[in-house]
Amino acid sequence: MPRSRGLRARQLHVDPAGLGGRPRVTHVTRELDRYAADALLRDGSSIHIRAIRADDKDRLQAHFHGLGFDSVRFRFLGAKKDLTPAELRYFTELDFSGHVGLVAVRRHDGEEEVIGVGRYICAEGNHRRAEFALAVLDAWQGRGVGTLLMEHLSRIAAADGIERFEADILASNRKMFAVVTALGFRVDERAQSDVVHAWFPIKLTPEALRASDERTWRAASEGVRALLHPRSVAVGLRAYPTLASIGKLVDLVIVAVPAAGVEAVVDECARTGARGVVVISAGFAEVSDEGRQVQRRLRDRVRECGLRLIGPNCMGVINTDPAVSLDATFAPTFPPPGNVGMLSQSGALGVAVLDYARALDIGVSTFVSVGNKADVSGNDLLAYWKDDPRTQVIALYLESFGNPRRFARLAPEVARRKPIVAVKSGRSAAGTRAASSHSAALSCLDVAVDALFEQAGVIRTETLEDLFDVVSLLATQPVPRGPRVGVVTNAGGPGILLADACEARGLQLPELSPQSIDALRAFLPVQASLKNPVDMIASAHADDYARAVEIVGADPSVDSVVVIFVPPLATSAAGIGQAIARGAGGVPLHKPVLTVFLSSKGAPPALATGPRGRLPSYSFPENAARALAAAEGYGRCCAPRASSSPTPSRSLRTRRLRPPSGWDSRSWRRRSRPASCTRAMSGA
């Protein structure tokens, strides 16, 4: 790694003025000398980044001795055998104004190990320029440690008014050039023999912010992948007293012991090399302030040791990938494999969600019950699902937001690729109180949640029933390209109900083309209504359904098709289901086909036998209209486009916002505008 020109021999061997006993304390110092943050490496494991302290001398010396020959040469521009006491004082007793230093650490057996060191020193007489230096243990190079240190240093420096970083880098130090380039800044350089002088502005440009977000999302995705794709899991018929007694490396550990024993188990997980922990146990932040403190210690412990943790107070995780087939939950139901990624902040509700998914035949790719979200959050899972090829639709049950600003940047990126459907509970004061005692959820203004979801392109539903209705459509059918709906029914009343529900939600029932009407007239009875909705009357049989669905679906004025069936005495629902499935096979593939079976028996299995596979089915016309309107709004708002963020659209909600009683419309608009959503949720 490079040596900063501010770290030349004179400064390396002489204590800077004012650092005789304690560093000078300035306003910046009081903040930065306690600087600490957790970060994710490229493989998804975590490290702890903190300010260098005066008591780090032994750790820094051990770090130096762990550097290889080339790493020492790159860092100091020459060979070096040891750090002198004077150098150690200079490197650890900092003023955190003109000289700022950070270390990346991992904890082993209760002791910190320094794996990376980064610092910058302001140029003499020019506080707008600073020279930087990095050194990372050889075994940790290439994993993102240096990039993270540089990212934290550059943000600290920019906040303190520094405009530019620079350093002398050996021309052969390609890794350092890769670190600087990865930051997303524009780098200039000037060659001087075998040394290159490089400099770059550290202002956080959109390109740099984008690069930082992409690194964070990829790292979060890898961390979740390690939890959902373990190579080995500590479960089975044979029992072991400890993890160490297993005698093999365990990737994922499911913890279901009393809360008082969880910390000891996590410590053993770190010692034995586990990569992930799922804590089923309850009794943490959701029950008391003392439990909240224990949960914080648990979070800090796993992050210092490089683990990722789901929970506590959760139901577990599921991965239906046949190559993994992981069921680490206490749910009695294993869902069918499919393309829906599900998150539930409630464990008990997660059990019901899985049961409902199986009953509706909604295939699940992965399911995660996050519980109190001490470490792995909904944002981490969104980052994972964003690039997961098995997940095409994301369903969320949320009680709180941990980092709404990160959600506001990440969710639009995900929504442009695949739809996100969410239920957010805790709207009312009573609901908020219940959420805080249930999963340690923090309250947030519901108007802000609405604004955040609309800004991000998330489909918000009021109920779990609506969520499953929308997911059932999006998981099996294409997103509609427009609001025009063609309706085929064997009864006038349900068709009218559907027409009313569609129009109330911004959908349209256009007139069919003359060609379509002529084709329908050729086989339907004279009593049938050939307008849209097409009412074939109760005598319609299976072949009528198949032909009518294909004709209406092929009409150029129709973007989607809804087929309604009310079972008369003489007609078999199974035969009609098979005919609808056959007719749907003739509808252009970019148009969704929905069905409504007005029967207590529900839709027949034959509905899934056609070329398009399973067709979504609803018990009532209004359910189909709500789901279709939500999908159409998503398509209009978030269809792949070049813009950086989706256009807000009220149709992404399955309800309409109205000013509460006593509010005038102007103050309502001011409070509900999307620009203020993350500020309103900053305490969440």
PDB file of all heavy atoms in Angstrom, residues 234-259:
ATOM      1  N   ALA A 234     -25.786 -27.470  11.552  1.00  0.00           N
ATOM      2  CA  ALA A 234     -25.695 -28.260  12.780  1.00  0.00           C
ATOM      3  C   ALA A 234     -27.074 -28.719  13.227  1.00  0.00           C
ATOM      4  O   ALA A 234     -27.618 -28.252  14.214  1.00  0.00           O
ATOM      5  CB  ALA A 234     -25.025 -27.444  13.881  1.00  0.00           C
ATOM      6  N   VAL A 235     -27.673 -29.623  12.469  1.00  0.00           N
ATOM      7  CA  VAL A 235     -28.937 -30.233  12.853  1.00  0.00           C
ATOM      8  C   VAL A 235     -28.863 -31.708  12.497  1.00  0.00           C
ATOM      9  O   VAL A 235     -28.030 -32.135  11.713  1.00  0.00           O
ATOM     10  CB  VAL A 235     -30.143 -29.582  12.133  1.00  0.00           C
ATOM     11  CG1 VAL A 235     -30.300 -28.149  12.548  1.00  0.00           C
ATOM     12  CG2 VAL A 235     -29.994 -29.687  10.623  1.00  0.00           C
ATOM     13  N   GLY A 236     -29.760 -32.503  13.045  1.00  0.00           N
ATOM     14  CA  GLY A 236     -29.763 -33.922  12.719  1.00  0.00           C
ATOM     15  C   GLY A 236     -30.267 -34.733  13.891  1.00  0.00           C
ATOM     16  O   GLY A 236     -30.618 -34.208  14.943  1.00  0.00           O
ATOM     17  N   LEU A 237     -30.288 -36.044  13.714  1.00  0.00           N
ATOM     18  CA  LEU A 237     -30.795 -36.910  14.758  1.00  0.00           C
ATOM     19  C   LEU A 237     -29.801 -37.062  15.902  1.00  0.00           C
ATOM     20  O   LEU A 237     -30.178 -37.222  17.044  1.00  0.00           O
ATOM     21  CB  LEU A 237     -31.132 -38.283  14.168  1.00  0.00           C
ATOM     22  CG  LEU A 237     -32.259 -38.294  13.120  1.00  0.00           C
ATOM     23  CD1 LEU A 237     -32.447 -39.703  12.574  1.00  0.00           C
ATOM     24  CD2 LEU A 237     -33.555 -37.788  13.733  1.00  0.00           C
ATOM     25  N   ARG A 238     -28.517 -37.011  15.587  1.00  0.00           N
ATOM     26  CA  ARG A 238     -27.516 -37.165  16.627  1.00  0.00           C
ATOM     27  C   ARG A 238     -27.317 -35.848  17.364  1.00  0.00           C
ATOM     28  O   ARG A 238     -27.302 -34.783  16.759  1.00  0.00           O
ATOM     29  CB  ARG A 238     -26.195 -37.620  16.013  1.00  0.00           C
ATOM     30  CG  ARG A 238     -25.134 -37.947  17.049  1.00  0.00           C
ATOM     31  CD  ARG A 238     -23.911 -38.565  16.393  1.00  0.00           C
ATOM     32  NE  ARG A 238     -22.889 -38.857  17.375  1.00  0.00           N
ATOM     33  CZ  ARG A 238     -21.717 -39.409  17.084  1.00  0.00           C
ATOM     34  NH1 ARG A 238     -21.446 -39.723  15.822  1.00  0.00           N
ATOM     35  NH2 ARG A 238     -20.835 -39.653  18.031  1.00  0.00           N
ATOM     36  N   ALA A 239     -27.158 -35.912  18.666  1.00  0.00           N
ATOM     37  CA  ALA A 239     -26.992 -34.711  19.481  1.00  0.00           C
ATOM     38  C   ALA A 239     -25.541 -34.582  19.927  1.00  0.00           C
ATOM     39  O   ALA A 239     -24.864 -35.583  20.197  1.00  0.00           O
ATOM     40  CB  ALA A 239     -27.905 -34.764  20.701  1.00  0.00           C
ATOM     41  N   TYR A 240     -25.067 -33.328  19.992  1.00  0.00           N
ATOM     42  CA  TYR A 240     -23.716 -33.031  20.441  1.00  0.00           C
ATOM     43  C   TYR A 240     -23.795 -32.022  21.580  1.00  0.00           C
ATOM     44  O   TYR A 240     -24.630 -31.114  21.557  1.00  0.00           O
ATOM     45  CB  TYR A 240     -22.876 -32.445  19.305  1.00  0.00           C
ATOM     46  CG  TYR A 240     -22.654 -33.392  18.144  1.00  0.00           C
ATOM     47  CD1 TYR A 240     -23.554 -33.435  17.085  1.00  0.00           C
ATOM     48  CD2 TYR A 240     -21.543 -34.228  18.114  1.00  0.00           C
ATOM     49  CE1 TYR A 240     -23.357 -34.296  16.015  1.00  0.00           C
ATOM     50  CE2 TYR A 240     -21.330 -35.091  17.047  1.00  0.00           C
ATOM     51  CZ  TYR A 240     -22.242 -35.122  16.002  1.00  0.00           C
ATOM     52  OH  TYR A 240     -22.036 -35.973  14.948  1.00  0.00           O
ATOM     53  N   PRO A 241     -22.924 -32.128  22.561  1.00  0.00           N
ATOM     54  CA  PRO A 241     -22.983 -31.179  23.686  1.00  0.00           C
ATOM     55  C   PRO A 241     -22.523 -29.780  23.306  1.00  0.00           C
ATOM     56  O   PRO A 241     -22.978 -28.797  23.875  1.00  0.00           O
ATOM     57  CB  PRO A 241     -22.049 -31.811  24.727  1.00  0.00           C
ATOM     58  CG  PRO A 241     -21.102 -32.660  23.926  1.00  0.00           C
ATOM     59  CD  PRO A 241     -21.909 -33.177  22.773  1.00  0.00           C
ATOM     60  N   THR A 242     -21.592 -29.676  22.348  1.00  0.00           N
ATOM     61  CA  THR A 242     -21.074 -28.376  21.916  1.00  0.00           C
ATOM     62  C   THR A 242     -20.834 -28.411  20.416  1.00  0.00           C
ATOM     63  O   THR A 242     -20.765 -29.483  19.800  1.00  0.00           O
ATOM     64  CB  THR A 242     -19.747 -28.029  22.617  1.00  0.00           C
ATOM     65  OG1 THR A 242     -18.760 -28.997  22.233  1.00  0.00           O
ATOM     66  CG2 THR A 242     -19.909 -28.003  24.126  1.00  0.00           C
ATOM     67  N   LEU A 243     -20.653 -27.233  19.822  1.00  0.00           N
ATOM     68  CA  LEU A 243     -20.323 -27.177  18.401  1.00  0.00           C
ATOM     69  C   LEU A 243     -18.950 -27.777  18.136  1.00  0.00           C
ATOM     70  O   LEU A 243     -18.733 -28.457  17.127  1.00  0.00           O
ATOM     71  CB  LEU A 243     -20.353 -25.720  17.918  1.00  0.00           C
ATOM     72  CG  LEU A 243     -21.727 -25.058  17.806  1.00  0.00           C
ATOM     73  CD1 LEU A 243     -21.564 -23.581  17.460  1.00  0.00           C
ATOM     74  CD2 LEU A 243     -22.571 -25.747  16.749  1.00  0.00           C
ATOM     75  N   ALA A 244     -18.011 -27.521  19.036  1.00  0.00           N
ATOM     76  CA  ALA A 244     -16.657 -28.028  18.835  1.00  0.00           C
ATOM     77  C   ALA A 244     -16.626 -29.551  18.788  1.00  0.00           C
ATOM     78  O   ALA A 244     -15.796 -30.149  18.093  1.00  0.00           O
ATOM     79  CB  ALA A 244     -15.740 -27.514  19.942  1.00  0.00           C
ATOM     80  N   SER A 245     -17.543 -30.202  19.515  1.00  0.00           N
ATOM     81  CA  SER A 245     -17.534 -31.664  19.561  1.00  0.00           C
ATOM     82  C   SER A 245     -18.021 -32.295  18.262  1.00  0.00           C
ATOM     83  O   SER A 245     -17.859 -33.498  18.065  1.00  0.00           O
ATOM     84  CB  SER A 245     -18.408 -32.151  20.722  1.00  0.00           C
ATOM     85  OG  SER A 245     -19.769 -31.795  20.511  1.00  0.00           O
ATOM     86  N   ILE A 246     -18.594 -31.503  17.355  1.00  0.00           N
ATOM     87  CA  ILE A 246     -19.033 -32.053  16.069  1.00  0.00           C
ATOM     88  C   ILE A 246     -17.830 -32.495  15.248  1.00  0.00           C
ATOM     89  O   ILE A 246     -17.884 -33.489  14.521  1.00  0.00           O
ATOM     90  CB  ILE A 246     -19.873 -31.012  15.296  1.00  0.00           C
ATOM     91  CG1 ILE A 246     -21.157 -30.709  16.071  1.00  0.00           C
ATOM     92  CG2 ILE A 246     -20.206 -31.494  13.891  1.00  0.00           C
ATOM     93  CD1 ILE A 246     -22.002 -29.620  15.449  1.00  0.00           C
ATOM     94  N   GLY A 247     -16.743 -31.744  15.358  1.00  0.00           N
ATOM     95  CA  GLY A 247     -15.523 -32.129  14.659  1.00  0.00           C
ATOM     96  C   GLY A 247     -15.478 -31.711  13.209  1.00  0.00           C
ATOM     97  O   GLY A 247     -14.551 -32.067  12.488  1.00  0.00           O
ATOM     98  N   LYS A 248     -16.479 -30.976  12.741  1.00  0.00           N
ATOM     99  CA  LYS A 248     -16.518 -30.500  11.365  1.00  0.00           C
ATOM    100  C   LYS A 248     -16.932 -29.031  11.355  1.00  0.00           C
ATOM    101  O   LYS A 248     -17.559 -28.545  12.291  1.00  0.00           O
ATOM    102  CB  LYS A 248     -17.513 -31.313  10.529  1.00  0.00           C
ATOM    103  CG  LYS A 248     -17.164 -32.784  10.379  1.00  0.00           C
ATOM    104  CD  LYS A 248     -18.218 -33.498   9.538  1.00  0.00           C
ATOM    105  CE  LYS A 248     -17.900 -34.977   9.386  1.00  0.00           C
ATOM    106  NZ  LYS A 248     -18.945 -35.681   8.583  1.00  0.00           N
ATOM    107  N   LEU A 249     -16.570 -28.352  10.257  1.00  0.00           N
ATOM    108  CA  LEU A 249     -16.961 -26.958  10.109  1.00  0.00           C
ATOM    109  C   LEU A 249     -18.465 -26.861   9.878  1.00  0.00           C
ATOM    110  O   LEU A 249     -19.022 -27.568   9.043  1.00  0.00           O
ATOM    111  CB  LEU A 249     -16.220 -26.321   8.930  1.00  0.00           C
ATOM    112  CG  LEU A 249     -16.554 -24.855   8.642  1.00  0.00           C
ATOM    113  CD1 LEU A 249     -16.106 -23.972   9.798  1.00  0.00           C
ATOM    114  CD2 LEU A 249     -15.903 -24.400   7.344  1.00  0.00           C
ATOM    115  N   VAL A 250     -19.122 -26.007  10.634  1.00  0.00           N
ATOM    116  CA  VAL A 250     -20.559 -25.779  10.506  1.00  0.00           C
ATOM    117  C   VAL A 250     -20.776 -24.364   9.984  1.00  0.00           C
ATOM    118  O   VAL A 250     -20.301 -23.396  10.579  1.00  0.00           O
ATOM    119  CB  VAL A 250     -21.274 -25.962  11.859  1.00  0.00           C
ATOM    120  CG1 VAL A 250     -22.752 -25.619  11.726  1.00  0.00           C
ATOM    121  CG2 VAL A 250     -21.106 -27.392  12.352  1.00  0.00           C
ATOM    122  N   ASP A 251     -21.465 -24.238   8.859  1.00  0.00           N
ATOM    123  CA  ASP A 251     -21.708 -22.918   8.274  1.00  0.00           C
ATOM    124  C   ASP A 251     -22.818 -22.165   8.991  1.00  0.00           C
ATOM    125  O   ASP A 251     -22.690 -20.979   9.282  1.00  0.00           O
ATOM    126  CB  ASP A 251     -22.100 -23.054   6.798  1.00  0.00           C
ATOM    127  CG  ASP A 251     -20.922 -23.428   5.927  1.00  0.00           C
ATOM    128  OD1 ASP A 251     -19.788 -23.183   6.350  1.00  0.00           O
ATOM    129  OD2 ASP A 251     -21.139 -23.963   4.831  1.00  0.00           O
ATOM    130  N   LEU A 252     -23.931 -22.844   9.233  1.00  0.00           N
ATOM    131  CA  LEU A 252     -25.127 -22.196   9.770  1.00  0.00           C
ATOM    132  C   LEU A 252     -25.550 -22.876  11.060  1.00  0.00           C
ATOM    133  O   LEU A 252     -25.693 -24.102  11.103  1.00  0.00           O
ATOM    134  CB  LEU A 252     -26.269 -22.260   8.749  1.00  0.00           C
ATOM    135  CG  LEU A 252     -27.604 -21.650   9.177  1.00  0.00           C
ATOM    136  CD1 LEU A 252     -27.462 -20.149   9.410  1.00  0.00           C
ATOM    137  CD2 LEU A 252     -28.679 -21.923   8.125  1.00  0.00           C
ATOM    138  N   VAL A 253     -25.755 -22.080  12.096  1.00  0.00           N
ATOM    139  CA  VAL A 253     -26.148 -22.599  13.404  1.00  0.00           C
ATOM    140  C   VAL A 253     -27.512 -22.030  13.766  1.00  0.00           C
ATOM    141  O   VAL A 253     -27.717 -20.813  13.725  1.00  0.00           O
ATOM    142  CB  VAL A 253     -25.119 -22.220  14.489  1.00  0.00           C
ATOM    143  CG1 VAL A 253     -25.548 -22.765  15.846  1.00  0.00           C
ATOM    144  CG2 VAL A 253     -23.736 -22.751  14.114  1.00  0.00           C
ATOM    145  N   ILE A 254     -28.450 -22.910  14.104  1.00  0.00           N
ATOM    146  CA  ILE A 254     -29.778 -22.501  14.545  1.00  0.00           C
ATOM    147  C   ILE A 254     -29.782 -22.530  16.072  1.00  0.00           C
ATOM    148  O   ILE A 254     -29.553 -23.578  16.678  1.00  0.00           O
ATOM    149  CB  ILE A 254     -30.873 -23.444  14.001  1.00  0.00           C
ATOM    150  CG1 ILE A 254     -30.644 -23.737  12.511  1.00  0.00           C
ATOM    151  CG2 ILE A 254     -32.248 -22.859  14.251  1.00  0.00           C
ATOM    152  CD1 ILE A 254     -30.627 -22.519  11.632  1.00  0.00           C
ATOM    153  N   VAL A 255     -30.032 -21.389  16.694  1.00  0.00           N
ATOM    154  CA  VAL A 255     -29.932 -21.262  18.149  1.00  0.00           C
ATOM    155  C   VAL A 255     -31.336 -21.189  18.741  1.00  0.00           C
ATOM    156  O   VAL A 255     -32.092 -20.261  18.447  1.00  0.00           O
ATOM    157  CB  VAL A 255     -29.120 -20.014  18.544  1.00  0.00           C
ATOM    158  CG1 VAL A 255     -29.011 -19.907  20.063  1.00  0.00           C
ATOM    159  CG2 VAL A 255     -27.739 -20.058  17.909  1.00  0.00           C
ATOM    160  N   ALA A 256     -31.675 -22.160  19.562  1.00  0.00           N
ATOM    161  CA  ALA A 256     -32.975 -22.187  20.243  1.00  0.00           C
ATOM    162  C   ALA A 256     -32.747 -22.592  21.693  1.00  0.00           C
ATOM    163  O   ALA A 256     -33.164 -23.656  22.141  1.00  0.00           O
ATOM    164  CB  ALA A 256     -33.932 -23.147  19.543  1.00  0.00           C
ATOM    165  N   VAL A 257     -32.038 -21.729  22.413  1.00  0.00           N
ATOM    166  CA  VAL A 257     -31.766 -21.941  23.834  1.00  0.00           C
ATOM    167  C   VAL A 257     -32.349 -20.759  24.590  1.00  0.00           C
ATOM    168  O   VAL A 257     -32.700 -19.739  23.990  1.00  0.00           O
ATOM    169  CB  VAL A 257     -30.246 -22.048  24.094  1.00  0.00           C
ATOM    170  CG1 VAL A 257     -29.638 -23.188  23.287  1.00  0.00           C
ATOM    171  CG2 VAL A 257     -29.537 -20.732  23.773  1.00  0.00           C
ATOM    172  N   PRO A 258     -32.486 -20.840  25.915  1.00  0.00           N
ATOM    173  CA  PRO A 258     -32.963 -19.668  26.663  1.00  0.00           C
ATOM    174  C   PRO A 258     -32.113 -18.438  26.368  1.00  0.00           C
ATOM    175  O   PRO A 258     -30.910 -18.538  26.109  1.00  0.00           O
ATOM    176  CB  PRO A 258     -32.834 -20.119  28.123  1.00  0.00           C
ATOM    177  CG  PRO A 258     -32.969 -21.605  28.059  1.00  0.00           C
ATOM    178  CD  PRO A 258     -32.315 -22.020  26.782  1.00  0.00           C
ATOM    179  N   ALA A 259     -32.741 -17.272  26.418  1.00  0.00           N
ATOM    180  CA  ALA A 259     -32.060 -16.033  26.032  1.00  0.00           C
ATOM    181  C   ALA A 259     -30.749 -15.834  26.776  1.00  0.00           C
ATOM    182  O   ALA A 259     -29.770 -15.330  26.206  1.00  0.00           O
ATOM    183  CB  ALA A 259     -32.995 -14.840  26.265  1.00  0.00           C
TER     184      ALA A 259
END
